[in-house]
Amino acid sequence: MKIETILTPAELPALAQRDLRATACVVFDVLRATSTFVTALHHGAQAIIPVSEIAEALDWKKAEGRRQKAEMILLGGERNGVRISANGIDFDLGNSPREYTPERVRGKIIVSTTTNGTRALQACAKAKIVLAASFLNLAATADFLRGQNEILLVCAGTGENPAAEDIIAAGALVDLLSSGKNTHASKSANSTAARAAYVQAMLTNLEKSIGTSENGQRLLANPDLRDDVAFCAQRDIFNLVAAMQADGSLRKI
Ligand code: MLT
């Protein structure tokens, strides 16, 4: 098993030039996109449609709303961390995983656009496998990946910057994948650095460590969103793998 890691969103455009047909990509946007998608799928959402732009989300809902009941489709996501309002339309959901309750999302298709997370997922779309991962479903994701030869961990970041929480989560996955029977896993320098960041974070405390990051600080400063940090720091509360399908949707497998 070979494990590579992309630490910063600056490296995402280059993925378009790369042949990922044999690669399993694992995208982390711990605060909060991938944590939110995993929560929604655990709570019974049918699918998440990750799109890059607000206009794409509106078009998708318009087009698909003609084919199926419009109330089955919810618009979700954020810009600057808060729920989107565009072209006179208020999105149904923001990007707080705590909003994605079973009552709200069961059976629904959620079209989501976020600043970094949905773009990172789309950048990996041509890979053999694309997973959305978080601390919430890390062990299930690791179990799923054990048979894979080439793994690329993708840290979505915050704006143009690397995000400590994504690197720590990627490092936690490197740790899981290179322990036990997999001690022979070959790790890139970035993967080793991510693992060291994870080990360091565990010496402090996971919630505290991710709370010191750029997006952690932004969320903690907002009384409505501050509890998202503690929520997203929970380890393995959901036993599911969130995988991209041929149609680009994320579903629980
Ligand atoms: C993103 O995709 O950039 C985010 O998940 C930001 C957020 O929701 O705070």
Side-chain angles (χ1 to χ4, degrees):
M1 178 187 285
K2 198 171 110 199
I3 312 172
E4 277 185 82
T5 303
I6 285 181
L7 299 174
T8 151
E11 295 172 69
L12 289 178
L15 284 183
Q17 265 60 264
R18 196 168 150 172
D19 182 356
L20 295 171
R21 281 175 299 177
T23 305
C25 287
V26 186
V27 176
F28 287 97
D29 190 345
V30 167
L31 295 174
R32 299 161 292 169
T34 54
S35 299
T36 297
F37 300 158
V38 165
T39 303
L41 293 171
H42 177 79
H43 287 158
Q46 225 185 100
I48 313 289
I49 315 294
V51 299
S52 297
E53 306 299 334
I54 294 172
E56 272 180 83
L58 294 172
D59 288 349
W60 202 98
K61 175 156 180 165
K62 209 169 169 187
E64 205 55 33
R66 288 190 207 109
R67 267 181 274 167
Q68 46 190 318
K69 288 191 188 130
E71 65 269 21
M72 292 301 291
I73 302 166
L74 298 178
L75 291 171
E78 59 68 45
R79 285 297 179 273
N80 299 314
V82 297
R83 177 141 50 118
I84 298 165
S85 192
N87 299 352
I89 296 173
D90 289 332
F91 275 37
D92 304 290
L93 296 154
N95 199 32
S96 167
R98 294 173 300 118
E99 286 178 79
Y100 290 66
T101 59
E103 298 69 35
R104 207 70 214 284
V105 304
R106 191 178 293 117
K108 308 282 189 198
I109 296 171
I110 299 160
V111 189
S112 178
T113 175
T114 71
T115 313
N116 286 64
T118 56
R119 283 165 202 233
L121 283 161
Q122 287 207 325
C124 299
K126 292 198 177 123
K128 175 186 169 198
I129 293 169
V130 185
L131 305 182
S134 65
F135 284 112
L136 309 175
N137 70 332
L138 201 71
T141 301
D143 288 345
F144 178 87
L145 288 166
R146 283 192 218 283
Q148 299 299 321
N149 289 327
E150 282 187 35
I151 296 175
L152 177 64
L153 309 184
V154 177
C155 298
T158 298
E160 303 306 314
N161 302 324
E165 64 276 15
D166 298 339
I167 295 171
I168 293 167
L173 186 56
V174 173
D175 193 63
L176 284 175
L177 291 175
S178 52
S179 55
K181 280 190 201 150
N182 285 307
T183 40
H184 58 280
S186 127
K187 299 184 284 296
S188 66
N190 281 352
S191 302
T192 303
R195 189 186 196 182
Y198 163 67
V199 170
Q200 187 60 40
M202 292 310 284
L203 289 177
T204 324
N205 162 290
L206 192 53
E207 183 184 331
K208 280 207 179 97
S209 298
I210 72 173
T212 59
S213 71
E214 183 183 343
N215 203 18
Q217 290 288 296
R218 178 173 70 173
L219 294 168
L220 288 172
N222 182 331
D224 293 333
L225 304 179
R226 68 160 62 109
D227 290 345
D228 287 351
V229 174
F231 185 93
C232 296
Q234 298 176 96
R235 190 91 187 237
D236 299 321
I237 58 168
F238 302 139
N239 185 22
L240 74 92
V241 176
M244 191 178 276
Q245 310 298 304
D247 64 1
S249 67
L250 284 174
R251 291 178 195 252
K252 172 175 151 179
I253 55 165

